[in-house]
Amino acid sequence: MNRHAVQSVAGTAFILAVLAAAYHSLHSALYVSIVSSAGTVLFLLCLKGTHRDEMAARSLLCVIAMPMLAWSLPTIRMLHLAMCLWVPLLAGRPERIAPLYLFSLLLLPPLDVPVTLGALKLFDFGVQDGLAVGAALALFYHHPGLHLAGSLRRPASDGWVAALLLFLGMALSRETSATNFLRTTVNLLLDFGLPYYILSRGIVDVASQRTALRWLACSGIAVTAILVLEAWRSWPIFYELYGHYNVEMLLIVKARGGLMRAGGPFVEPTSMALVLAICFAALSVLREDFRSGLRHAGLLVICFIGVSVPQSRGAWIGLGLATVAMAIYRGRWRALMSNAAVIGTMLCVVFVTARLSPGFAEALGLSDGGANETTTYRRDLFEKGKEVFWMSPLFGHSMPSLNILMEDLRQGEGIIDFVNTYLWIGLIGGAAGLAIFIGNIVDPLTALWKRRRVLRGTPGMAPAAFVFGTLAMLSEMLFFTSFGGRPAFLTLGLFGFSAAILARTNADALAQQRTEHTGNDPAAEGTGQSDRQEEQLLA
């Protein structure tokens, strides 16, 4: 064999070896990219042409490149840096920042690690924090919606969120050190403050509201494809990233009825189901953005499958509540009655099937299996929590004291799982903290309800109905889940979304009042300006 032949054979073998090594290290990323791309393409094909052209390239780049980056980068800090740059580099224009942030937020696990200065832990930082920091800095640089951040911004929206962050910071760091208070405050600003800021300041008009909903709905379809793969193969794909980056995390694979409860990028199935229920609600109000009712209905079926794969009963109940709340808000009583009939029929089918199939009954929590054990734990948590709450009903307990008082509910994983957010808030903040938390939900619900007649028949009705319905849904689902991770991020994001909608409706109402007041008389302009300012102060 001559030298050239040897070189050719050696070169070919080297290339094949490199490809084999790349496939070995990236095969999970390829699976995630392929299935999520398939879901995204299906969503795009159902959209009308103008909307499809607007989001096709960037949405496909996200679902392909983000998993590849996550599985290929050698250190976690490099991934965090990439996430900080992700939204600013990909958005291109300021109005795309908030939608891209929402879309990217659902595609990777948090991978939180502590940031330290010597032996001193400063705060935790993860993938979602990187996305939020990049998006917030890009918004601050571009100043979109600056006219809404000033006189037309509704002060009550910002005030309630500020009170919540201050309360959580004080409650979680009580009876600890000053450095822990600073650490907790930074974590709260990263996890809760920035999502609120991004959506309240990054969504400036009705068009951008609907754009954000389209991106959120698209991410729901993409993640559904991943969940179906995980459940089908019994393969928790994203667990691999914690080993790849040596990130400490208690990872537990849960199953019901012989079927794995897929958690996807969220790792935890209950939180995954909650967020997919929000994506379903976003998709349900966007019928006009799709090429036909049949295509839209097909996507709704796919998204409902995604809500069902994690096998969370709370998500099904919450989704039904959101559907009812959105129909009431939009005044669609006939649709509400027809939906009630459909839901009633589906419930009958479900209960009959559960009686005939023990595996199906276990998956729904209607048997004496593991699901009922979960129900028993929730009941014990509530009973013990009530007892501890009345020991200090006004201001609650510190976390160190609470862990001692609730010690008998510590699970095999070594944690006390506070799977009732309202109970947890009451335990760490008492009635005062609970009033602040409930106020953050009730205030936007009340304000949106008062504006429903103004929005009826306008393009802004769909986003307002979505926020109203999902906040109503969260008010129920937080009884069944803990307040942390991306559900908490998106809860604060919904508060920001509602603030943006209320600011926009304020702007439109005041503009209409100005037109009616001034008419065609330029001399009345000054009077109209002062009237506007007075209206805002009263609001």
Side-chain angles (χ1 to χ4, degrees):
M1 184 179 292
N2 59 37
R3 186 176 63 183
H4 294 294
V6 171
Q7 291 175 343
S8 299
V9 171
T12 303
F14 176 77
I15 293 173
L16 291 175
V18 170
L19 291 175
Y23 175 76
H24 176 72
S25 60
L26 295 177
H27 75 283
S28 298
L30 288 172
Y31 273 102
V32 173
S33 297
I34 290 171
V35 297
S36 56
S37 297
T40 303
V41 168
L42 179 62
F43 181 88
L44 294 171
L45 290 175
C46 295
L47 276 178
K48 290 181 178 177
T50 54
H51 303 315
R52 181 171 61 248
D53 296 341
E54 170 197 344
M55 60 186 299
R58 287 174 174 81
S59 60
L60 288 173
L61 181 60
C62 281
V63 296
I64 293 172
M66 287 186 74
M68 290 297 181
L69 279 174
W71 263 273
S72 61
L73 292 177
T75 67
I76 190 64
R77 295 303 181 199
M78 292 180 67
L79 178 62
H80 291 168
L81 178 61
M83 293 301 99
C84 288
L85 300 174
W86 185 257
V87 174
L89 292 179
L90 198 62
R93 295 203 304 264
E95 60 269 21
R96 295 194 187 117
I97 293 173
L100 264 173
Y101 166 72
L102 275 177
F103 185 80
S104 304
L105 187 64
L106 274 60
L107 299 181
L108 288 179
L111 299 172
D112 288 332
V113 295
V115 176
T116 59
L117 181 62
L120 178 64
K121 177 182 175 181
L122 299 179
F123 53 88
D124 295 315
F125 197 85
V127 169
Q128 281 74 51
D129 301 317
L131 291 168
V133 167
L137 289 176
L139 277 177
F140 185 78
Y141 175 77
H142 288 290
H143 293 292
L146 187 61
H147 60 290
L148 291 180
S151 62
L152 297 181
R153 181 65 55 189
R154 184 170 176 265
S157 302
D158 294 347
W160 277 110
V161 172
L164 177 63
L165 296 182
L166 181 62
F167 150 67
L168 288 174
M170 296 176 64
L172 294 175
S173 59
R174 187 164 49 167
E175 295 183 10
T176 60
S177 62
T179 54
N180 186 53
F181 173 74
L182 294 175
R183 183 186 308 123
T184 302
T185 301
V186 173
N187 285 334
L188 288 171
L189 289 175
L190 287 173
D191 294 345
F192 302 154
L194 290 184
Y196 174 82
Y197 173 81
I198 292 165
L199 293 185
S200 64
R201 269 63 178 177
I203 300 176
V204 297
D205 55 24
V206 174
S208 59
Q209 292 168 16
R210 297 184 69 93
T211 299
L213 293 186
R214 283 194 296 272
W215 282 88
L216 186 59
C218 182
S219 65
I221 299 298
V223 172
T224 293
I226 298 173
L227 294 181
V228 171
L229 173 66
E230 284 193 342
W232 176 45
R233 299 285 300 272
S234 297
W235 179 18
I237 305 174
F238 291 93
Y239 283 22
E240 297 179 9
L241 289 176
Y242 288 89
H244 176 69
Y245 291 113
N246 294 318
V247 176
E248 293 185 5
M249 179 70 176
L250 181 64
L251 300 172
I252 301 173
V253 178
K254 300 179 181 179
R256 281 181 185 166
L259 187 67
M260 189 186 86
R261 297 183 64 194
F266 285 35
V267 179
E268 205 283 312
T270 303
S271 300
M272 185 76 260
L274 187 156
V275 174
L276 276 177
I278 295 175
C279 295
F280 182 97
L283 178 62
S284 68
V285 299
L286 294 175
R287 165 62 189 91
E288 297 82 1
D289 294 354
F290 291 88
R291 295 168 62 188
S292 70
L294 182 61
R295 289 180 172 89
H296 181 243
L299 289 177
L300 286 173
V301 171
I302 293 172
C303 197
F304 182 77
I305 292 172
V307 175
S308 304
V309 170
Q311 302 179 52
S312 171
R313 293 163 294 173
W316 294 328
I317 298 170
L319 189 56
L321 179 60
T323 302
V324 171
M326 289 188 294
I328 292 175
Y329 189 85
R330 303 172 86 177
R332 297 187 173 182
W333 300 101
R334 184 176 299 177
L336 178 62
M337 297 304 296
S338 62
N339 288 337
V342 171
I343 293 172
T345 304
M346 291 175 61
L347 287 175
C348 291
V349 172
V350 165
F351 281 109
V352 170
T353 307
R355 284 187 170 276
L356 298 176
S357 171
F360 186 71
E362 184 180 348
L364 293 179
L366 300 177
S367 70
D368 295 328
N372 271 4
E373 294 177 7
T374 302
T375 303
T376 302
Y377 174 79
R378 293 179 189 276
R379 183 167 53 249
D380 293 342
L381 176 70
F382 183 70
E383 293 299 328
K384 181 66 175 180
K386 283 195 304 181
E387 177 185 333
V388 173
F389 172 81
W390 287 112
M391 294 179 183
S392 180
L394 291 180
F395 302 108
H397 306 270
S398 66
M399 282 304 298
S401 300
L402 188 59
N403 287 329
I404 295 173
L405 292 169
M406 306 284 286
E407 179 63 32
D408 53 339
L409 286 173
R410 194 173 296 276
Q411 297 181 292
E413 306 98 286
I415 62 170
I416 302 171
D417 195 2
F418 291 97
V419 287
N420 183 328
T421 296
Y422 296 103
L423 178 64
W424 178 70
I425 292 290
L427 289 173
I428 65 170
L434 200 56
I436 292 174
F437 185 77
I438 294 175
N440 270 274
I441 298 175
V442 172
D443 175 69
L445 283 174
T446 304
L448 287 169
W449 181 259
K450 290 178 179 178
R451 287 162 173 77
R452 71 192 187 284
R453 297 188 186 278
V454 177
L455 292 168
R456 191 158 293 169
T458 68
M461 172 54 87
F466 160 76
V467 174
F468 184 85
T470 49
L471 284 176
M473 176 184 70
L474 282 170
S475 68
E476 176 270 333
M477 292 186 69
L478 290 175
F479 280 107
F480 304 102
T481 188
S482 54
F483 193 68
R486 268 166 291 195
F489 295 2
L490 288 173
T491 299
L492 271 292
L494 285 171
F495 295 160
F497 209 141
S498 68
I501 291 173
L502 294 171
R504 183 70 262 167
T505 55
N506 284 345
D508 294 341
L510 291 174
Q512 183 178 358
Q513 289 175 8
R514 176 187 176 185
T515 302
E516 294 173 354
H517 185 76
T518 59
N520 297 322
D521 184 7
E525 181 69 25
T527 305
Q529 175 69 20
S530 58
D531 283 347
R532 254 193 336 276
Q533 293 174 349
E534 184 179 352
E535 284 276 345
Q536 178 57 34
L537 288 173
L538 291 174

